[in-house]
Amino acid sequence: RPPRVPMASPGDANAESQKPTLVVEVKHGKRKFEIPLPDGLLDCTVEWLMCQIENETDPIVMRKHQKLLSKGKSLDAKGTIQSQCQFKHGKTVVMLLASHGGGGAPPAPLTAGQVALAKSRAAKAKNAYEKRNDFDENPMKFVSGRAQNLESRAMTWKTTGIVGLRSLALTDIPASAFESELSVRVVDVSGNLLAAVPRSVSSWQFVVKLNFSSNKITVAGVPWKELTGLPNLTCLNLAHNLLAGCLPIRGLGEMPKLQELVLDGNKIESLDATIGDEDEDSGDTFFFPALTSLSFANNLVTDIPPEFGKCDELELVDGSGNLLTEIPADLANASKLKTLALDRNPTLTTAGIPSELLLNAKALDYLSVHQCSVSMEALREKNGWREYDARRIRRAGKVLASKVMLGKTAFDEGGDTERIRRH
């Protein structure tokens, strides 16, 4: 007789249908999604869960870029979900972190305000671009109505102390900018057609910043004596003009508060900073006592005046894009010099970088010589390299200690690239 098969009771069927469904809720950025466990099995591995997450995310977060957290603890891919997660009412919560290159949560949709702001900025940029093109093609087109514009601006100058005359096709600065009742602090006349800096600048005794960049100013058009007589001037910008040949900056060296001198984008061949015999005899050798930044990038300068070693506050020298052949050892006397940017000087060789600079410039921790004729091997052999190397390591110490990827210029003098290319 065949064995007796027990009949399933209705209660057993209900128990089977009411078997609890276990789910894992995954939080990724602002997104949440649930992954059910097959048949409520708790022996599924975290690796299985990662495969499911890879299928659910868009953009895809690959398994090798995933890091899962539960209750603040990282989950082991080989372990089971049950052993590492706590279920409550059939659900556990896991946080997904994606490493670099592993995708991420889709960006939140823009709000109506953000969309309007983006459109406004795009329209302003387009208008500025078109206006600048019109100005380059026909600058005199903007002369009409300029008197009324200047009159309204003059009212603002009196209240703000800021004379704004940028990109107005001006060939001279209006007389209203020199009125005695004005306490001018900032002057911006960049992007005009000025051939000279007016001698009337001497009336701006309270001016702090002068921006004469992107004009047509020549060396003969700069009133050095009048500029020297501005006792509060901290920033002078003469970039992108027609300055050529020798630039006599010796007089500017007597300015007590000048901190920033910008001479980029001209055709300057040399910076005349010679201290005369009478100065040496009198013992008055003050030279840019407050200067912190000197920039003469993209010129034709062949040497840096050694007198800049007398600048006790100098922190940055940018001589990129010139024809420098050597760096004066006297720069080591600038006790606060931290950055020396010398990129794109094809005539600069390893021999042109003095050992005294590497050894004695106690604050120098960034020397950039990209696209120069500098050999990294020879530079490392120089006396003083060990001291300089210790300083640059200290500069990048926090980044190195945290094992975060360094940027392109964070720890690279430029010679390393040439070495890799040769070998």
Side-chain angles (χ1 to χ4, degrees):
R1 190 166 67 171
R4 185 176 179 181
V5 180
M7 298 294 293
S9 67
D12 293 337
N14 292 336
E16 184 70 23
S17 63
Q18 295 176 4
K19 188 174 183 179
T21 301
L22 302 180
V23 298
V24 178
E25 182 182 280
V26 181
K27 292 184 176 181
H28 183 208
K30 295 183 178 180
R31 293 184 58 204
K32 294 182 181 179
F33 55 91
E34 294 184 349
I35 297 179
L37 300 184
D39 298 327
L41 297 178
L42 294 175
D43 57 352
C44 294
T45 64
V46 175
E47 188 173 13
W48 171 86
L49 179 61
M50 289 180 169
C51 292
Q52 305 307 310
I53 291 174
E54 187 174 297
N55 296 329
E56 290 289 336
T57 52
D58 183 20
I60 295 175
V61 180
M62 301 177 67
R63 275 178 291 173
K64 64 180 181 179
H65 296 302
Q66 294 180 25
K67 183 177 181 180
L68 300 179
L69 301 178
S70 177
K71 301 292 185 181
K73 295 182 179 180
S74 179
L75 302 185
D76 180 13
K78 299 300 181 183
T80 63
I81 298 175
Q82 180 185 21
S83 63
Q84 302 180 75
C85 301
Q86 296 180 2
F87 284 84
K88 186 176 182 180
H89 303 300
K91 184 171 73 171
T92 187
V93 179
V94 171
M95 182 173 292
L96 169 63
L97 303 180
S99 62
H100 180 71
L110 297 177
T111 64
Q114 290 173 326
V115 172
L117 180 61
K119 290 182 178 179
S120 174
R121 287 177 174 174
K124 287 181 179 179
K126 181 179 179 181
N127 183 49
Y129 176 77
E130 293 176 350
K131 183 178 179 181
R132 185 64 194 178
N133 283 346
D134 290 344
F135 176 79
D136 292 338
E137 294 175 2
N138 185 16
M140 300 311 295
K141 174 182 176 182
F142 294 86
V143 172
S144 59
R146 189 168 57 189
Q148 183 179 358
N149 187 10
L150 293 178
E151 183 178 350
S152 62
R153 287 173 182 246
M155 298 299 294
T156 305
W157 301 342
K158 293 180 180 180
T159 57
T160 64
I162 301 175
V163 176
L165 294 168
R166 182 171 53 188
S167 301
L168 292 175
L170 298 175
T171 55
D172 52 37
I173 299 177
S176 56
F178 301 101
E179 292 180 359
S180 57
E181 63 267 22
L182 290 180
S183 297
V184 177
R185 297 181 295 108
V186 177
V187 177
D188 184 0
V189 289
S190 60
N192 284 287
L193 303 173
L194 301 179
V197 177
R199 297 186 179 277
S200 306
V201 295
S202 59
S203 63
W204 292 331
Q205 289 297 298
F206 300 101
V207 72
V208 174
K209 181 176 180 180
L210 288 179
N211 185 358
F212 285 93
S213 63
S214 301
N215 277 279
K216 298 182 180 298
I217 300 171
T218 62
V219 173
V222 180
W224 303 104
K225 183 177 180 180
E226 283 73 10
L227 289 176
T228 305
L230 300 176
N232 297 295
L233 188 64
T234 62
C235 177
L236 177 60
N237 189 342
L238 293 171
H240 305 291
N241 277 283
L242 300 180
L243 303 176
C246 179
L247 195 68
I249 62 172
R250 170 66 189 106
L252 298 180
E254 300 175 2
M255 302 181 71
K257 295 185 179 180
L258 187 63
Q259 298 176 6
E260 185 177 359
L261 180 59
V262 185
L263 304 169
D264 301 346
N266 286 283
K267 294 184 179 180
I268 303 169
E269 297 177 5
S270 64
L271 302 173
D272 182 10
T274 306
I275 297 176
D277 295 336
E278 62 278 5
D279 296 324
E280 294 288 354
D281 296 338
S282 64
D284 181 15
T285 57
F286 290 108
F287 185 75
F288 289 103
L291 190 68
T292 61
S293 175
L294 170 67
S295 182
F296 53 93
N298 302 318
N299 277 278
L300 304 172
V301 178
T302 56
D303 59 81
I304 301 175
E307 286 81 3
F308 282 105
K310 300 179 182 292
C311 300
D312 294 332
E313 302 298 323
L314 187 61
E315 297 179 4
L316 179 146
V317 174
D318 186 356
S320 305
N322 280 278
L323 300 175
L324 298 174
T325 56
E326 62 179 358
I327 309 304
D330 300 63
L331 276 185
N333 298 325
S335 58
K336 294 185 179 181
L337 181 62
K338 298 181 63 176
T339 301
L340 192 54
L342 304 173
D343 300 331
R344 294 176 285 107
N345 278 278
T347 52
L348 181 62
T349 63
T350 309
I353 301 176
S355 298
E356 295 85 350
L357 180 67
L358 300 174
L359 180 64
N360 300 324
K362 302 301 182 183
L364 182 64
D365 58 14
Y366 184 75
L367 172 65
S368 184
V369 289
H370 291 82
Q371 300 181 37
C372 296
S373 302
V374 175
S375 165
M376 198 62 187
E377 291 89 342
L379 191 60
R380 290 177 182 273
E381 294 297 324
K382 274 185 170 290
N383 182 32
W385 171 262
R386 181 178 301 178
E387 289 76 6
Y388 165 74
D389 192 40
R391 293 193 296 271
R392 71 169 187 160
I393 290 175
R394 282 198 301 270
R395 171 176 57 83
K398 292 183 180 180
V399 181
L400 292 172
S402 61
K403 298 181 180 179
V404 177
M405 184 177 294
L406 294 169
K408 292 182 179 180
T409 61
F411 207 54
D412 178 20
E413 280 65 39
D416 288 319
T417 305
E418 300 301 323
R419 180 183 61 178
I420 294 172
R421 186 180 300 164
R422 289 197 301 272
H423 297 292

